[in-house]
Amino acid sequence: YYPPVDSGDDPLVRACVKRVCTHAADRFGRAITHQHWFAAISDLSYARHADDTHGWLAYERNTPGYGTDYSVPFAGMQRLNMPVLNVGPSGKDLHMRTERLHRASAFEELPALLADLVQFVAAR
């Protein structure tokens, strides 16, 4: 289980999205759009859990073997409450047998975008 996470309301995340979109357009002529939800799985789901109603208790009560065979650190995730942003290469058919990756996006553009983004965040 990977809990849904959305940091789109975080000011730093909004600034980072704007930076990546602008840099990708200016340097590579690539139009990037912001998506609030990543359609696959990501460990970033474990960095933030904004449910302050303890709704995870229903999940714990209804998951066979919860606490012995499997668990999710909901309380720890809530304490961490770190805004997240997933920036990755373009491709098709994520996590399928037919998955493929755009090489220029992955090995030329993405490293430059991430390096710029790290410098942008470090300067704030």
Side-chain angles (χ1 to χ4, degrees):
Y1 174 68
Y2 285 78
V5 61
D6 182 6
S7 297
D9 60 342
D10 184 88
L12 178 58
V13 170
R14 283 198 312 260
C16 288
V17 168
K18 183 177 179 183
R19 177 72 178 213
V20 168
C21 290
T22 300
H23 190 197
D26 292 348
R27 183 163 176 194
F28 301 108
R30 182 174 294 278
I32 294 179
T33 58
H34 176 225
Q35 295 177 315
H36 286 277
W37 301 102
F38 181 52
I41 60 173
S42 171
D43 292 337
L44 292 173
S45 292
Y46 287 88
R48 180 181 189 138
H49 188 67
D51 178 13
D52 58 0
T53 65
H54 302 292
W56 70 73
L57 296 175
Y59 174 80
E60 292 177 357
R61 285 192 303 269
N62 291 290
T63 301
Y66 191 88
T68 55
D69 298 325
Y70 180 74
S71 64
V72 177
F74 288 111
M77 292 160 40
Q78 199 169 32
R79 282 191 307 273
L80 182 58
N81 196 27
M82 181 172 41
V84 298
L85 174 63
N86 192 354
V87 181
S90 61
K92 299 283 185 187
D93 298 341
L94 187 64
H95 295 299
M96 296 181 178
R97 186 172 54 89
T98 55
E99 178 176 3
R100 52 211 184 275
L101 182 67
H102 187 274
R103 285 189 298 199
S105 171
F107 302 112
E108 297 169 23
E109 299 168 10
L110 185 60
L113 293 173
L114 290 176
D116 178 73
L117 187 58
V118 168
Q119 291 174 353
F120 174 72
V121 171
R124 293 182 69 86

